[in-house]
Amino acid sequence: MYRLLIADDELLERQALRFIIEKNCPDIQIVAETGDGKSAVSISAEEKPDIVLMDIRMPELNGLEAARAIRSMLPNTAIVMLTAFDEFSYAKEALSIGAVEYLLKPLRPKDLLQTLQSVAENVGRRKRKEQEEAELRKNIEHAMPFIKNSFIQDLIAGKITDLANFRERAGFFGIKTGAGVILVANIDNFKQITRSVSELERQVVKQRVYQHICEIVGRDTLVVPFGGDEIIILMGYEGAASMEQIEQEVRETAQKIRDGIIQLGISITIGIGRYYDDPLQMHKSYIEASSAQQQKIYIGDNQIIHIDELPHLSAVAFRYPFNYERNLLDKVRCGERQQAKEVLRQLLHEIFTAKASVEMVKACVLELLIVLSRAAVEGGANLEQLTLLNFNCINRLNDCIDREEVRHWIFDALDQFMDNMLENRSSMNVRLINKACAYITENFHKSISLEEVAQTVHLSPYYFSRIFKAEKGFNFVDFLTKVRIDKAKIMLQNPELTVVRVAAEAGYQDASYFCRVFRQEVGVTPNQYRTQSKKKSEQPAAAIQQQPRKK
């Protein structure tokens, strides 16, 4: 329905317009009519019509002045000017100020209806477009946390390697797209202070902290909740600024955040990374800020810690052995305890021989504890139980005073993770393998692969192959072959089915290959098996016929 205002100083004209429109335009509602330009402006402000039929010659305020006022107030309202033939020059002026059309008096109903139909269609298209854009904005607003999270994940992982791509994505959030620095904020003792409350109350606490930080830093700074209790703050810069000015501003911002959060009755520790004038190097700032923030377990809570304030972190050229870590996580996921311990020994050797301080070692093994627990969960461990184990382990780590104690601590944690994983994984593996076997049995006639079946139970092909062999005692191909041959045996008992058709129905496109597999599994060819089955079925019948009749 389109809302229309009629503005004409002649009563008969207005009545005629109303009559024609109401009779022929059911989708147009006349919301008001007036005889002067001043009233047309005030009525438009109140009713907000989609279309205005405006006569040029009117008292108080002429049509051109009224149209100009309405357009400035309601830029999307379509104005159709009504003018006499000798006022044609006014019509041109009306078009120049935003009128969409003009009609010459005396009006012909046909011209009026055609014009209104055209204008209404344009208004309809505009409204639909506005509605689509509003829906799109709404959807984007709902998806914004995920979009921000995706951007931050790619940024801190160093996956953004194109400067234009960075600027486009950063510009989408309205942040400055030049150089920058990352801060990492973490709620102190969050698990302890929220242990006795519900998950909803925990999320409310996190949301309050997040919103408070957003209010403090403003819209030019990107704030993203990220993993656990971590909040990432990206401060971007453009133009010339000295390193001293930037560092001072970053520290002042961190101070405002910490002091503001304290007013909520919560303390946080903020780690600050280094400033990078190349935004593609920003992931380094995150690593530094995260490392700095983690030092709170050694120097206390409610801290602001810059990476350069930790001499042992900046002075020692320490390279973490990620290759050993990846191998270790694979062994843990697969439940290979002894192999995992051997890789862990090699990893610790690399860390201990790097001549880093005990604090550095603790920071590394603390991060290792987290990734180990995640690998154990992926391998089947109970997440809730491991969370408690992690909490207990972290408390014990604080008491370690040398590297040997740290070594015992991380090996003990690994044993606990593996025990929990293996205890919980057995029943899970049985369910997954049973589901996989059911899928194979239902789809044996298709060209299915190990990768396809593994995907149905959400496992990697390598891990699926391992647990399938462990649970069944034979591999995936052997099981698929057995299912197909068993089905083929049943079909071969039907004399109307050819061997070629039986092969195809059993999932073998090559009948010759089917015959070779069948003979290998059964010991005879398909035709020999069919003959033997026929003889067996005939023997009982012949025996019954040879039995003497009872007298």
Side-chain angles (χ1 to χ4, degrees):
M1 185 66 71
Y2 304 102
R3 298 164 59 80
L4 181 140
L5 167 65
I6 300 174
D8 194 308
D9 62 336
E10 296 184 19
L11 178 60
L12 291 177
E13 288 282 352
R14 296 202 303 270
Q15 292 175 344
L17 290 171
R18 176 181 284 275
F19 176 78
I20 295 171
I21 294 170
E22 290 181 342
K23 182 178 180 181
N24 297 280
C25 303
D27 57 344
I28 294 180
Q29 176 191 5
I30 300 175
V31 295
E33 58 179 72
T34 182
D36 64 85
K38 187 175 180 180
S39 296
V41 174
S42 61
I43 292 173
S44 295
E46 182 177 349
E47 296 291 342
K48 295 178 174 53
D50 299 307
I51 306 170
V52 176
L53 285 178
M54 178 82 71
D55 188 18
I56 288 181
R57 287 189 177 275
M58 287 192 297
E60 299 265 347
L61 199 67
N62 67 40
L64 295 176
E65 294 171 330
R68 185 179 289 106
I70 293 173
R71 287 289 295 175
S72 64
M73 179 175 53
L74 302 170
N76 291 325
T77 294
I79 300 176
V80 178
M81 303 303 299
L82 307 178
T83 178
F85 183 77
D86 58 353
E87 299 168 343
F88 185 66
S89 59
Y90 291 117
K92 290 183 178 180
E93 184 179 350
L95 294 177
S96 69
I97 65 172
V100 297
E101 191 58 85
Y102 68 89
L103 291 170
L104 293 176
K105 291 183 176 182
L107 293 177
R108 292 191 302 173
K110 179 181 178 182
D111 294 340
L112 173 64
L113 295 176
Q114 287 179 345
T115 298
L116 287 179
Q117 181 181 3
S118 175
V119 171
E121 288 175 356
N122 291 334
V123 171
R125 280 193 292 270
R126 175 185 57 76
K127 284 192 168 186
R128 286 190 295 272
K129 183 178 180 181
E130 289 176 350
Q131 186 175 2
E132 291 171 359
E133 290 176 349
E135 189 68 26
L136 179 61
R137 284 193 296 271
K138 181 179 178 182
N139 292 337
I140 290 177
E141 184 178 345
H142 288 161
M144 189 60 72
F146 304 100
I147 299 173
K148 286 183 178 180
N149 199 278
S150 174
F151 171 69
I152 282 293
Q153 279 189 348
D154 289 347
L155 181 65
I156 66 177
K159 292 182 178 180
I160 301 179
T161 58
D162 180 72
L163 188 58
N165 177 254
F166 170 83
R167 287 177 173 168
E168 180 181 3
R169 295 177 69 177
F172 178 78
F173 303 114
I175 62 175
K176 296 175 181 177
T177 56
V181 59
I182 288 180
L183 295 75
V184 174
N186 200 288
I187 303 173
D188 295 327
N189 303 314
F190 181 75
K191 290 184 175 63
Q192 294 93 314
I193 63 178
T194 60
R195 182 180 296 174
S196 60
V197 302
S198 67
E199 180 60 26
L200 176 61
E201 291 172 298
R202 293 189 189 96
Q203 296 303 325
V204 169
V205 172
K206 291 182 183 179
Q207 187 67 12
R208 286 174 61 201
V209 172
Y210 165 71
Q211 290 178 344
H212 208 68
I213 293 176
C214 290
E215 292 172 2
I216 292 170
V217 300
R219 294 185 177 181
D220 291 339
T221 300
L222 184 62
V223 182
V224 181
F226 187 80
D229 316 322
E230 194 172 89
I231 297 175
I232 295 178
I233 304 161
L234 170 59
M235 297 182 64
Y237 291 89
E238 280 183 334
S242 66
M243 292 290 293
E244 293 76 13
Q245 289 175 324
I246 292 173
E247 183 173 340
Q248 181 179 355
E249 181 180 341
V250 171
R251 288 180 180 274
E252 288 175 355
T253 300
Q255 186 74 42
K256 289 178 183 178
I257 293 172
R258 187 184 65 172
D259 295 346
I261 299 302
I262 288 177
Q263 296 177 7
L264 301 177
I266 299 170
S267 74
I268 64 171
T269 294
I270 302 174
I272 304 175
R274 295 186 180 92
Y275 167 83
Y276 287 88
D277 56 10
D278 179 0
L280 301 184
Q281 300 297 313
M282 206 81 73
H283 61 283
K284 297 179 182 178
S285 185
Y286 166 76
I287 295 172
E288 294 161 355
S290 182
S291 298
Q293 179 270 137
Q294 290 171 6
Q295 299 307 303
K296 70 178 182 179
I297 64 175
Y298 313 120
I299 61 179
D301 296 335
N302 198 33
Q303 300 289 328
I304 296 174
I305 310 169
H306 195 286
I307 187 68
D308 290 335
E309 295 172 347
L310 306 172
H312 64 274
L313 287 178
S314 57
V316 178
F318 175 70
R319 297 185 65 182
Y320 185 80
F322 285 104
N323 55 326
Y324 286 114
E325 181 183 283
R326 286 190 290 269
N327 192 11
L328 172 61
L329 299 184
D330 288 338
K331 300 300 182 186
V332 171
R333 293 188 191 99
C334 295
E336 299 175 350
R337 186 190 299 259
Q338 293 307 317
Q339 294 90 329
K341 286 186 174 182
E342 181 57 35
V343 178
L344 179 57
R345 288 190 187 94
Q346 296 171 341
L347 189 153
L348 290 177
H349 176 75
E350 292 291 323
I351 295 176
F352 292 158
T353 56
K355 298 182 179 180
S357 66
V358 175
E359 286 75 18
M360 168 61 87
V361 173
K362 285 185 178 183
C364 289
V365 295
L366 181 59
E367 292 182 8
L368 182 60
L369 174 78
I370 303 304
V371 296
L372 279 176
S373 66
R374 290 174 182 168
V377 170
E378 292 173 5
N382 183 285
L383 176 61
E384 184 176 352
Q385 294 172 358
L386 251 62
T387 300
L388 182 58
L389 284 175
N390 281 345
F391 175 71
N392 294 332
C393 287
I394 291 172
N395 286 339
R396 288 175 50 207
L397 178 61
N398 289 330
D399 299 329
C400 295
I401 59 175
D402 58 32
R403 295 175 180 178
E404 195 57 34
E405 288 189 2
V406 172
R407 187 194 304 274
H408 286 300
W409 171 85
I410 191 65
F411 270 96
D412 184 51
L414 175 62
D415 274 328
Q416 292 185 65
F417 290 166
M418 297 292 288
D419 289 342
N420 186 280
M421 183 184 75
L422 296 176
E423 179 182 345
N424 287 277
R425 192 172 68 176
S426 179
S427 59
M428 181 182 72
N429 285 351
V430 171
R431 291 195 301 272
L432 293 177
I433 296 306
N434 287 342
K435 181 179 177 181
C437 289
Y439 181 84
I440 294 170
T441 304
E442 292 175 3
N443 297 277
F444 70 94
H445 57 287
K446 301 177 183 177
S447 180
I448 57 176
S449 63
L450 182 141
E451 289 75 12
E452 177 184 342
V453 179
Q455 188 175 11
T456 64
V457 291
H458 309 292
L459 295 175
S460 70
Y462 172 74
Y463 184 60
F464 170 72
S465 178
R466 285 176 55 85
I467 66 172
F468 192 97
K469 180 72 177 291
E471 293 296 331
K472 289 295 183 180
F474 44 81
N475 61 32
F476 162 80
V477 174
D478 292 337
F479 180 77
L480 176 59
T481 301
K482 182 179 183 304
V483 171
R484 286 175 168 172
I485 296 303
D486 287 346
K487 298 296 182 181
K489 286 180 179 180
I490 297 173
M491 288 187 284
L492 285 170
Q493 294 176 16
N494 184 350
E496 295 182 0
L497 297 178
T498 65
V499 173
V500 173
R501 183 174 175 184
V502 169
E505 296 271 349
Y508 295 95
Q509 300 303 316
D510 187 341
S512 298
Y513 178 68
F514 162 70
C515 291
R516 289 199 301 272
V517 174
F518 190 93
R519 183 168 187 171
Q520 183 179 350
E521 295 294 320
V522 183
V524 295
T525 67
N527 283 326
Q528 290 172 337
Y529 179 82
R530 172 176 277 170
T531 301
Q532 292 175 359
S533 298
K534 183 178 180 181
K535 288 180 179 179
K536 288 180 181 179
S537 64
E538 290 175 348
Q539 286 176 356
I544 293 174
Q545 291 177 356
Q546 292 175 3
Q547 288 181 2
R549 294 181 180 179
K550 293 183 179 180
K551 296 182 179 180

